[in-house]
Every structure is written in structure tokens, then in C-alpha cells.
Amino acid sequence: MTYYLSLILYFFLLLIAFVFANSDKQTRNNKLSKRYVRYLGFILAIEFLRLLSIYVLDIKIANYLFPFYIAGEFFLVLSFFQVELKQKRKMQTLIAIVTGCLFIESIAMWFVFDNATIGYGKTISHLTIVLAAAYILVKNLKELETNNPFLIVYGALFLYYSVSLFLFLLMSQLTKSTIHIWTINNLLSCILYGSSIYTFHLLKKSY
């Protein structure tokens, strides 16, 4: 029961964050928030397809979604960070190359082992995101940029992906407690999307 409640809350907050961001023209036109809204829209689409596959089409293992999810998530989050770090096109090219490698690896795992999730792609993706988020947080604190509205989002992304990485590694060793791990993951998502709503609210007030 707790799992389903956390799932509903997670999806509800994600939907509100996406709609709230798109409801304000100034927020939509902000380069940083525009990148982040693309990430939210992508996750929303993936989650909708995943829930549709499981609960409507009765497809228990949505392997076909994982390559797109792992590659798209990595590309969009790192592209979002790239704006904050003011990196040049070389970084965008590197992000695109790594994204392609993550996609190819998960596709290969799917065809060879019939399981797209057993590769190293998710670990590499999450670890890279965690390190990038940590660097941005330290950079902002060193430069005393505490008035940055997205600081809370960077912190929430760091929390979500660091704990999610640990849970993902733990999941491969546990079987009976998997639903509890997914519940924790959903609650972490609630923190992330709740923080996103608050950040968009701050942005709207600042204009």
C-alpha cells in the first residue's frame, strides 16, 4: 500500500512541476530552466509509458524503455549542468558521445542477455551526475552564490542520484525487499520534484 501511495505522489508532483514550469512564459524562456523542464518532460513521458506498459498492456519488463531512459536521462541532466558551468561545445560533444555509448551498451545487454539493466551504464551515468552535482554545489558555495534559485534543485539531484545509485547496487543483491527499495526511490523522487516546484515558484516571483 505504501509503495502505491508513494508512486501516486511521485507521479503527481512530477506532473505538477512540469505543468507549473510551462505555465509561466518567463520560466519557459530562461535558458537554465528550459533545460531542466526538458528533463522533467522526458521523465514524465518515460514514466507514463512504463506505467502504461505494466498496468494497462501487462508488459512486466519494459526492457525497450531502458536504453532510451538511461541515455536520455544522462544527456538531459548533463546538458542542464552544462549551462550552469558555462561549458563550451566540446563538453556537449563529449556528453553526446558518452550518451551514445550508454545507449549502445544497454541495447547490447538486452539482445545478448535479455536484460538491458545488467550493464554498467546506470552506475556510470548516476556516478557522473552525482560528481557533477557535487562540483556545482561546492562551486556555488565557494562563490557565495546562495541566491541561485536552482541551488535547491542541484542539492535534490545530488541526493536523489547518490542514494538511487546505492539502492540500484543493493537491488542486485536483494529479491524480497525490492518493493521497499522502489518505495524509497519514489520518496526521493518526491523530494526532487517538490524541490523543483519550489524553485519554479521562486523563479516566478523573481521576475
Side-chain angles (χ1 to χ4, degrees):
M1 185 64 179
T2 306
Y3 166 74
Y4 291 107
L5 287 174
S6 66
L7 181 63
I8 293 169
L9 180 60
Y10 147 58
F11 196 83
F12 183 66
L13 288 174
L14 173 57
L15 182 61
I16 289 178
F18 181 72
V19 172
F20 186 71
N22 281 285
S23 66
D24 182 64
K25 185 178 180 180
Q26 298 286 355
T27 304
R28 290 199 311 269
N29 292 335
N30 179 283
K31 189 175 181 181
L32 191 59
S33 62
K34 187 187 295 185
R35 292 283 181 98
Y36 188 63
V37 171
R38 287 176 186 171
Y39 163 73
L40 292 178
F42 173 77
I43 297 297
L44 185 63
I46 288 291
E47 285 302 317
F48 176 77
L49 290 173
R50 185 178 71 86
L51 294 175
L52 182 69
S53 299
I54 295 173
Y55 298 106
V56 178
L57 302 177
D58 199 30
I59 302 175
K60 298 302 182 184
I61 301 178
N63 259 325
Y64 68 92
L65 285 176
F66 188 80
F68 298 97
Y69 165 70
I70 193 68
E73 177 188 49
F74 177 84
F75 179 80
L76 292 170
V77 174
L78 267 293
S79 294
F80 167 60
F81 287 161
Q82 183 193 8
V83 177
E84 173 68 29
L85 295 172
K86 299 178 176 62
Q87 295 295 323
K88 298 180 180 179
R89 286 186 175 273
K90 288 183 180 180
M91 179 59 70
Q92 188 69 31
T93 302
L94 180 60
I95 293 171
I97 291 172
V98 176
T99 299
C101 292
L102 294 175
F103 183 79
I104 291 170
E105 190 227 26
S106 58
I107 288 288
M109 293 298 104
W110 184 12
F111 281 104
V112 176
F113 300 104
D114 198 32
N115 189 346
T117 67
I118 63 173
Y120 295 102
K122 187 160 187 174
T123 302
I124 293 170
S125 172
H126 278 37
L127 187 58
T128 304
I129 292 172
V130 167
L131 292 175
Y135 176 77
I136 290 174
L137 285 169
V138 172
K139 178 177 177 292
N140 274 269
L141 291 173
K142 278 186 175 181
E143 297 176 1
L144 300 177
E145 295 183 9
T146 53
N147 60 334
N148 186 345
F150 275 95
L151 196 60
I152 188 172
V153 170
Y154 299 139
L157 284 168
F158 174 79
L159 175 66
Y160 172 78
Y161 281 102
S162 56
V163 178
S164 182
L165 174 61
F166 173 75
L167 294 177
F168 178 74
L169 295 174
L170 190 66
M171 196 180 300
S172 62
Q173 302 175 12
L174 299 175
T175 53
K176 294 181 180 179
S177 301
T178 300
I179 193 167
H180 299 301
I181 292 175
W182 280 115
T183 301
I184 296 172
N185 190 74
N186 290 341
L187 292 175
L188 287 168
S189 298
C190 290
I191 294 173
L192 174 59
Y193 302 129
S195 301
S196 303
I197 295 169
Y198 180 68
T199 298
F200 291 135
H201 173 68
L202 290 179
L203 281 172
K204 194 171 183 179
K205 283 179 63 179
S206 65
Y207 293 128

